[in-house]
Amino acid sequence: MQVVAHRGASHEIAEHTREAYVEAIRLGADGLECDVRLTADGHLVCVHDRHLKRIAATRGLISAMTLEELNQYDFSSWKNQWADLDDERPMGNHELGVLTLRALLETVADAGRRVELAIETKHPTRYGGLVERRLAHLLGEFGWTDLGSPVRVMSFSFTALQRMQRLAPKLQLVQLIEKAHHWPVLRPLVDPDWIIGPGIGELRAHPGLGKHLNLADKEIHVWTVNTEADLQLCQALGVTAVITDRPAYMLELLRR
């Protein structure tokens, strides 16, 4: 089973920061997960929310700001606002600005071992299909659109995944499932080779979902798995990848 660090080692370190991803690689995570959005000047950046309210205490929208404007904000300190006062805190590679996808791809390329990357394109967005087009172009620069690429692309948007399939037909794709009742609608539509990505909460609340996915012979990647009980459920269902905020803990559980 593959352990994928959700937004990096985000339980301990601010999500979507280079520090969080470097730590996840150091801990031995098999893969990393990130969300991408497009800035007003066409850069793909690693941010989950459409606005900066939660992580930078401002109402600014990612899609309405340039990369230069985003880099004026601190994307790291919100996780631990008193970190600078902790004399025993290890000194990490603390970078304040927004993490670009290009920088994350460079981090993966320099990891010294194979580290996979699950990239979620966020929709709806004012830029629509431009997100996938920019993503395909950037992955092409790294030579990561062919078979054997360490990258897979995920989305809750079926249309976005269809678009990505046309742009980079050899990439692995993951259809994320937000609600269990969405699966019967999506089942006849998704490509046979697509991976299915349900949330752990839906698998717990609707046991039939996992059974139906197994009956459909689907590879399953599950988010966000943070407890031993959740991991055991995933193991019982034959899940091949768990996306977790706590990669070190999941790796320890799997080694037992």
Side-chain angles (χ1 to χ4, degrees):
M1 180 183 290
Q2 191 179 76
V3 173
V4 180
H6 183 238
R7 309 178 197 172
S10 56
H11 183 70
E12 294 83 15
I13 302 172
E15 66 188 56
H16 285 133
T17 57
R18 186 175 182 278
E19 187 179 4
Y21 287 113
V22 169
E23 177 65 4
I25 292 171
R26 187 193 70 80
L27 291 170
D30 304 296
L32 311 173
E33 184 271 352
C34 71
D35 306 292
V36 293
R37 293 185 177 276
L38 200 60
T39 66
D41 54 344
H43 293 275
L44 286 168
V45 292
C46 301
V47 185
H48 178 272
D49 302 353
R50 62 188 293 266
H51 52 72
L52 297 178
K53 194 180 303 181
R54 178 171 61 90
I55 57 177
T58 178
R59 294 182 180 180
L61 297 178
I62 300 295
S63 62
M65 302 174 73
T66 66
L67 182 60
E68 183 178 1
E69 288 170 335
L70 287 169
N71 277 329
Q72 295 175 14
Y73 293 94
D74 182 346
F75 282 74
S76 301
S77 298
W78 67 271
K79 182 76 174 182
N80 181 2
Q81 298 180 25
W82 307 106
D84 291 341
L85 301 179
D86 185 357
D87 294 336
E88 298 181 2
R89 179 176 180 263
M91 293 300 292
N93 188 8
H94 187 66
E95 300 170 3
L96 300 182
V98 69
L99 180 69
T100 64
L101 180 60
R102 180 181 294 276
L104 179 56
L105 294 178
E106 290 170 349
T107 299
V108 170
D110 293 340
R113 62 178 176 88
R114 182 179 174 90
V115 176
E116 299 194 356
L117 182 59
I119 301 173
E120 180 186 343
T121 61
K122 305 299 289 185
H123 290 280
T125 172
R126 71 175 68 191
Y127 299 119
L130 184 58
V131 175
E132 282 73 33
R133 290 197 292 275
R134 294 289 291 176
L135 176 57
H137 183 268
L138 181 57
L139 293 178
E141 289 186 34
F142 283 76
W144 285 350
T145 57
D146 292 327
L147 291 174
S149 168
V151 173
R152 55 182 174 266
V153 177
M154 312 189 297
S155 187
F156 289 100
S157 169
F158 172 69
T159 301
L161 292 179
Q162 283 186 307
R163 186 184 302 120
M164 200 69 213
Q165 188 172 48
R166 290 192 296 269
L167 291 165
K170 296 179 182 179
L171 276 184
Q172 275 195 321
L173 300 177
V174 183
Q175 175 67 63
L176 297 174
I177 303 290
E178 188 169 15
K179 298 294 181 182
H181 66 264
H182 293 169
W183 172 238
V185 177
L186 288 166
R187 180 178 176 178
L189 302 177
V190 298
D191 189 282
D193 294 332
W194 289 10
I195 298 165
I196 305 302
I200 189 65
E202 289 300 288
L203 289 174
R204 284 196 307 261
H206 304 279
L209 175 59
K211 295 177 183 177
H212 285 302
L213 291 175
N214 280 330
L215 287 172
D217 198 27
K218 289 296 182 182
E219 183 176 352
I220 308 171
H221 294 185
V222 180
W223 52 275
T224 305
V225 180
N226 287 328
T227 69
E228 185 172 6
D230 289 345
L231 179 62
Q232 290 172 347
L233 173 57
C234 290
Q235 289 174 311
L237 290 172
V239 169
T240 55
V242 291
I243 301 173
T244 176
D245 299 323
R246 308 174 69 188
Y249 180 52
M250 288 295 119
L251 288 165
E252 178 188 347
L253 291 175
L254 287 170
R255 281 193 293 262
R256 289 180 185 174

